Amino acid sequence: MARQSRNRPWRRVAGFIFFGLLIAPASGCAQGNGDPASDPRFEQAVDLFEAWLDAKMAYEKIPGVSVALVHDQDLVWARGYGYAHPETQVAATPATMYSVCSISKLFTSIGVMQQRDEGDLDLDDPVSDHLSWYDLEQTYTDGPAVSVEGILTHSSGLPRESAHPYWTGPDHPFPTRDEVIEGLSGQETLYPGRRYFQYSNLGMALAGQLVEQSSGMAYDDYVRSRILDPLGMSDTYTDIPAEHRGGRYATGHARLARDGGRDEAPFFQALGMAPAAGFASTVEDLARLASWQFRLLENGGTEILDVNTLREMHRVHWVDPDFDTMWGLGFAVSRRDGERTVGHGGSCPGFRSTFQLIPAEKLAGVVMMNALASPDDVWSKMRAIVGKALEDIQADAGGGSRRPASLAEYEGRYESTWGETVILRWDDGLVALGVPTDDPLEAKTTLRHESGDTFRRVREDGEPGEAYIFHRDEGAIARFSVHGNYSNKVR
């Protein structure tokens, strides 16, 4: 994708948004206009991803999912699948709001680092130096005090939660700010500081209070004026917006029960825990957060943060003794297949989400869902399938060959006694994908057209294998047979 300028504004590249759960080729984008979404390689990758996601959502009873993919500073792809409100069949879209829960911690961490850069606090400062009411018992007196950096890296020794049962259903009684403070006197450190990683929502709630104390502003006012408004994130809230309940804000759903269903989750607001777990947002808005980081890393200087401060936040500041957990300043840091990823996930009653950046590739992904399922699974498939196609297009911008329109009639979902198979166009032929599957790239079977309605599996050595024969009813494809057995087309 050619650069337009070093200071270009955030923009959407893809010319379409997909609502619903249809497995169909993308349409509405003319090839050759510079948009990666118009490249056939991107189109077929999206089709494969959607076939996999469609099955995952159906078998795991996930009502709605929204996704976004950012390359460099551009939102190249954003879509919604399923329903924000299943009862009324309101479609999920890229503009649907979800609870993003612990992704909230990134905004709080940015606020803390802004205050550090302005000289109002230091990372080594004990929290008690800034919060006069902090009276949580320091059990390990020979260890370091709970510090600002310890909170941002979850290595302070603080307990995980405030002294309130807000993760307990059905009501999820989150405490107010004052109740969080009142509860400190009955709490104590869990570990010595700088000894172990212990994820702490309490710590990040206190970080929000550090921002308030240092800036002299209410937390919501600070985050909106210093982070959200400058980035154009008008659909992001520091706590769940009650005015959008039943409208733009999706209805959450609980874990998958033994009977295969999901109960509707209660509406909640995180109140005093909002700096740790309260935010609501959209995939399009979090794409703006990713775009800003790529822009700052490229252009340098200061926008929201100094570029070196952002780099500092992305670097590893804590490694647990088992070397399995690494944390920057607010950001989780991981390394997979040689790629360093920074970001955060979120899990709250009825919602799961993930926000991930691969700085070296200038690639970022956002996944939000209104059910307790795995957004990381969706991101990993989106990265491996759609992200890889984007990389291929960047490496060879000449454009792929248009997939034959004549093969579109074979596409669809087929069922037999033994399971489901999705047929998709791929390059100049077809692929057959059994669903559900853990690895759609490995599970797809390439089919090469032989004659008429007959295709043959392409073996790993390139030679033709068994025949896939498609059969018609009144001229329309109705089923296919392989090894003499049939699968009927259902969609």
Side-chain angles (χ1 to χ4, degrees):
M1 193 186 311
R3 304 215 63 80
Q4 293 197 344
S5 77
R6 291 178 60 82
N7 295 294
R8 68 185 188 279
W10 182 95
R11 66 190 182 99
R12 174 185 293 165
V13 171
F16 59 91
I17 297 174
F18 182 94
F19 303 155
L21 283 173
L22 297 176
I23 301 175
S27 61
C29 293
Q31 188 177 7
N33 63 4
D35 290 353
S38 67
D39 190 294
R41 292 167 292 183
F42 194 87
E43 291 177 353
Q44 68 188 22
V46 168
D47 284 353
L48 182 66
F49 169 78
E50 289 178 346
W52 171 83
L53 180 60
D54 179 54
K56 177 182 177 66
M57 293 178 68
Y59 280 89
E60 297 182 24
K61 301 295 188 291
I62 302 170
V65 175
S66 295
V67 301
L69 190 68
V70 174
H71 180 263
D72 198 350
Q73 298 168 40
D74 297 325
L75 173 59
V76 296
W77 182 62
R79 293 188 175 183
Y81 304 90
Y83 298 105
H85 306 293
E87 291 296 320
T88 53
Q89 295 195 330
V90 174
T93 79
T96 296
M97 293 179 188
Y98 300 79
S99 163
V100 298
C101 203
S102 288
I103 295 174
S104 311
K105 294 176 173 67
L106 296 182
F107 297 93
T108 302
S109 300
I110 290 168
V112 170
M113 296 306 291
Q114 287 175 327
Q115 292 301 297
R116 192 284 305 267
D117 286 356
E118 292 171 14
D120 292 321
L121 54 80
D122 289 322
L123 293 179
D124 291 336
D125 287 349
V127 171
S128 58
D129 285 359
H130 297 274
L131 304 179
S132 60
W133 39 257
Y134 176 86
D135 60 354
L136 183 142
E137 183 180 350
Q138 181 74 19
T139 306
Y140 302 91
T141 55
D142 58 341
V146 172
S147 69
V148 176
E149 182 173 20
I151 284 178
L152 297 185
T153 59
H154 298 281
S155 63
S156 67
L158 283 171
R160 180 182 174 101
E161 307 294 349
S162 176
H164 304 85
Y166 40 88
W167 298 123
T168 303
D171 297 327
H172 300 290
F174 279 86
T176 64
R177 175 185 180 276
D178 289 344
E179 288 171 336
V180 172
I181 294 171
E182 290 169 5
L184 291 176
S185 61
Q187 294 186 271
E188 59 185 31
T189 51
L190 181 63
Y191 301 117
R194 301 177 189 169
R195 179 75 61 84
Y196 302 114
F197 177 86
Q198 173 56 64
Y199 191 78
S200 179
N201 286 311
L202 172 61
M204 292 305 299
L206 296 177
Q209 300 306 315
L210 288 171
V211 171
E212 285 198 341
Q213 182 65 34
S214 297
S215 67
M217 299 174 63
Y219 179 81
D220 178 80
D221 292 341
Y222 182 93
V223 171
R224 186 149 303 281
S225 64
R226 296 291 304 273
I227 303 172
L228 300 179
D229 286 348
L231 294 179
M233 298 180 66
S234 58
D235 287 332
T236 299
Y237 294 79
T238 59
D239 208 350
I240 308 301
E243 66 269 26
H244 290 301
R245 181 183 182 184
R248 292 193 60 196
Y249 181 71
T251 300
H253 292 79
R255 62 179 177 82
L256 193 63
R258 285 194 175 202
D259 64 4
R262 290 185 186 272
D263 292 334
E264 188 173 306
F267 180 80
F268 73 94
Q269 291 177 306
L271 306 178
M273 300 302 294
F279 281 52
S281 190
T282 69
V283 295
E284 290 187 318
D285 250 17
L286 287 192
R288 291 179 171 88
L289 184 69
S291 177
W292 157 67
Q293 292 180 64
F294 292 140
R295 182 168 64 247
L296 183 60
L297 291 171
E298 177 182 319
N299 292 346
T302 301
E303 180 191 356
I304 309 299
L305 287 174
D306 184 275
V307 63
N308 292 313
T309 299
L310 180 61
R311 291 193 181 107
E312 185 181 2
M313 296 180 74
H314 283 183
R315 287 197 299 269
V316 174
H317 286 252
W318 176 260
V319 181
D320 219 30
D322 59 11
F323 281 87
D324 287 336
T325 303
M326 296 181 290
W327 221 264
L329 296 175
F331 286 86
V333 184
S334 62
R335 190 170 182 85
R336 181 176 178 181
D337 299 329
E339 295 177 327
R340 180 174 62 95
T341 300
V342 299
H344 216 292
S347 180
C348 271
F351 298 89
R352 295 286 304 278
S353 56
T354 192
F355 172 80
Q356 301 295 331
L357 290 82
I358 306 174
E361 300 292 335
K362 298 181 179 180
L363 187 72
V366 187
V367 180
M368 298 179 186
M369 55 178 59
N370 57 343
L372 296 184
S374 175
D376 295 325
D377 193 20
V378 177
W379 159 240
S380 69
K381 301 303 186 297
M382 189 165 72
R383 167 72 184 97
I385 300 172
V386 185
K388 178 60 167 59
L390 182 61
E391 290 178 6
D392 291 344
I393 293 166
Q394 302 300 320
D396 176 16
S401 300
R402 176 63 67 183
R403 298 176 295 166
S406 60
L407 300 185
E409 64 175 329
Y410 299 103
E411 292 186 301
R413 180 164 62 86
Y414 297 73
E415 289 185 351
S416 74
T417 302
W418 306 104
E420 300 184 18
T421 301
V422 178
I423 301 294
L424 301 169
R425 287 180 295 163
W426 193 269
D427 295 336
D428 59 354
L430 301 175
V431 292
L433 177 70
V435 294
T437 176
D438 291 333
D439 192 340
L441 285 171
E442 287 295 321
K444 65 182 174 63
T445 298
T446 301
L447 307 179
R448 182 181 298 152
H449 187 229
E450 186 173 78
S451 64
D453 290 326
T454 299
F455 294 73
R456 287 193 177 273
R457 177 176 69 90
V458 179
R459 292 167 44 89
E460 290 186 3
D461 60 7
E463 293 299 315
E466 66 275 15
Y468 281 64
I469 303 171
F470 291 84
H471 306 270
R472 299 176 181 268
D473 284 345
E474 299 180 352
I477 299 297
R479 64 191 63 84
F480 74 81
S481 61
V482 59
H483 297 302
N485 294 289
Y486 292 89
S487 292
N488 295 313
K489 189 173 186 180
V490 295
R491 189 171 70 192

